[in-house]
Amino acid sequence: MKLPEFRDLDLSIARARIALSLIAMLSLYIDPSTAGGLFHLNVYALTTLLCHLAYSVGMYLALSRSFADGNLQVLSISLDLFFATAVAFITEGQTSASYVFFVFAIVAAGNRAKSRPIVTVTFLSVALYLLVIFLTKGLTSVYDMRAVYLAIAGYLIGFFSEQRALFEAQLRELETRAERQSIARSLHDGYVQALAGVNLRLETCRALLKRNQPQDALLEITDLQTGVAREYDAVRIYLRSLAGIEQSPAVELGARASDPGFEVRAAFSGRSLLGEHILQIMLEGLRNARSHGLANLVRIDVHEADDKVSITIEDDGVGLSDSSSRPWAIASRVAELAGHMSIHSDGSTRLQIELPNS
């Protein structure tokens, strides 16, 4: 499967292929050295370039509609080489556009910054170019050195593609390190300090209880519970920001949550890792209903059916206002397990989850 981050790059190459076709057609049309002279394009060259233009547009449409896969990439490279060879047969001369078509095929093959496709396409381009020269001019032609220059161009393209890949890998590593440092500082300066404060206040509660002052200890614990709830909400907001999830306007820091009742029916079996994920999903469902849904009752049902585990989490709360309120923590676990999740929200919330039990 093609990685999502390459889609825009593939579309850019497809647009460049269309531009190459149009520019080549125009340049051959105004080239006075071609057969027929200035402002003339013979029928063979016109037919070949029109076919190349149709192929370029078709490839762009296929990529824009997410039809791309490994077979389509191989097909595009093969057709690039085919049209480069055809243009060389028809227009070979001092100002032939075929050289540009071969170079484009090498560049398009190297769009993944991998050296093997570039080497393979460069070798095929040189071999096909030499074949064209042999069949049209003979191997003692003045055009022989163009094959050497084509090989040099392929080497340079491969070299710079590999260097770019190394540079991007180093850049990503530096960015990752910087992000980790930023997260570590945030955790240390914020939440670690808050935990230290909680520990000190708990020690105060112990001292009050030892001095037989339970009312003062109770007040301290109540105030501490409010502070912990506030820090808990802050951590959730921070984690959502790290995950790139927009915070729902309805969720306010420090807002008091409801304390709904719950009903749980569960009967399933499987691997321990799957069980851990299911328990965490159930726990997160309860937390969401309490903190965001303002529910009075939460029902959770888990059962096995056809090699799948079905999870239903339903509450009578305020529901979800829009898609930005999706329970991303649950959704990420479902995606990790290659499961499926659907949400129904019409005054209440119902999550239906199916996970493969394998």
Side-chain angles (χ1 to χ4, degrees):
M1 181 180 293
K2 183 175 72 66
L3 296 177
E5 60 265 26
F6 286 126
R7 183 173 182 272
D8 291 339
L9 177 60
D10 290 335
L11 286 173
S12 298
I13 291 176
R15 285 192 290 268
R17 187 181 287 111
I18 296 175
L20 170 64
S21 185
L22 295 173
I23 293 172
M25 195 178 305
L26 177 62
S27 64
L28 290 174
Y29 177 68
I30 64 176
D31 185 2
S33 67
T34 57
L38 183 65
F39 302 128
H40 177 80
L41 195 61
N42 68 67
V43 64
Y44 298 108
L46 178 61
T47 302
T48 301
L49 292 175
L50 286 176
C51 290
H52 182 269
L53 179 61
Y55 148 65
S56 302
V57 173
M59 183 62 64
Y60 176 80
L61 293 176
L63 290 170
S64 63
R65 296 178 182 180
S66 301
F67 292 152
D69 57 18
N71 294 329
L72 189 60
Q73 295 296 325
V74 173
L75 177 63
S76 67
I77 293 174
S78 302
L79 289 176
D80 284 337
L81 290 174
F82 169 79
F83 279 108
T85 306
V87 171
F89 265 112
I90 295 170
T91 67
E92 188 54 43
Q94 292 182 353
T95 57
S96 172
S98 62
Y99 194 83
V100 179
F101 280 81
F102 278 115
V103 172
F104 180 87
I106 297 173
V107 173
N111 65 351
R112 298 291 190 273
K114 295 180 180 179
S115 59
R116 180 176 297 179
I118 297 177
V119 172
T120 302
V121 175
T122 299
F123 175 79
L124 292 174
S125 298
V126 172
L128 291 172
Y129 201 78
L130 287 174
L131 177 64
V132 172
I133 294 173
F134 174 75
L135 295 177
T136 58
K137 307 293 183 180
L139 287 181
T140 57
S141 168
V142 295
Y143 303 114
D144 290 351
M145 288 304 296
R146 285 191 180 182
V148 178
Y149 302 148
L150 187 60
I152 295 174
Y155 166 76
L156 292 176
I157 293 170
F159 174 78
F160 287 118
S161 295
E162 185 174 356
Q163 293 302 309
R164 183 194 68 185
L166 292 174
F167 174 77
E168 290 177 348
Q170 293 174 355
L171 182 61
R172 284 193 297 270
E173 183 178 356
L174 291 175
E175 291 176 344
T176 301
R177 289 180 180 177
E179 290 175 354
R180 288 177 176 175
Q181 289 289 336
S182 177
I183 293 172
R185 284 194 300 270
S186 296
L187 293 176
H188 179 271
D189 297 339
Y191 309 121
V192 171
Q193 298 300 323
L195 288 175
V198 169
N199 187 52
L200 290 175
R201 298 188 69 175
L202 288 174
E203 186 64 30
T204 300
C205 292
R206 288 183 58 187
L208 291 172
L209 291 173
K210 287 181 178 180
R211 292 198 297 265
N212 198 23
Q213 297 176 316
Q215 292 299 325
D216 293 337
L218 180 60
L219 289 176
E220 186 72 16
I221 291 174
T222 302
D223 188 48
L224 179 60
Q225 185 179 15
T226 302
V228 170
R230 184 168 54 250
E231 292 297 329
Y232 170 77
D233 288 337
V235 171
R236 286 176 62 89
I237 292 174
Y238 180 62
L239 292 177
R240 289 177 69 91
S241 68
L242 290 179
I245 307 297
E246 294 185 3
Q247 185 65 35
S248 172
V251 179
E252 298 181 358
L253 185 64
R256 296 303 300 270
S258 63
D259 188 15
F262 68 93
E263 297 177 2
V264 176
R265 293 186 297 272
F268 64 95
S269 61
R271 309 294 296 180
S272 61
L273 182 59
L274 175 63
E276 180 180 345
H277 279 290
I278 292 175
L279 293 176
Q280 290 295 336
I281 289 172
M282 295 167 62
L283 179 59
E284 187 66 20
L286 282 174
R287 288 171 176 167
N288 289 337
R290 182 177 66 248
S291 301
H292 308 294
L294 303 178
N296 295 313
L297 180 63
V298 184
R299 293 186 178 92
I300 300 177
D301 180 74
V302 186
H303 64 274
E304 290 182 81
D306 300 329
D307 296 329
K308 293 183 179 180
V309 177
S310 177
I311 307 172
T312 302
I313 303 175
E314 186 173 9
D315 66 65
D316 59 355
V318 297
L320 300 177
S321 57
D322 51 43
S323 59
S324 65
S325 302
R326 286 173 57 87
W328 67 271
I330 295 178
S332 64
R333 290 183 183 275
V334 173
E336 181 179 346
L337 296 172
H340 173 75
M341 181 179 71
S342 60
I343 303 176
H344 306 278
S345 181
D346 52 357
S348 61
T349 303
R350 185 172 184 268
L351 271 65
Q352 186 67 46
I353 301 168
E354 286 190 352
L355 303 175
N357 190 4
S358 59

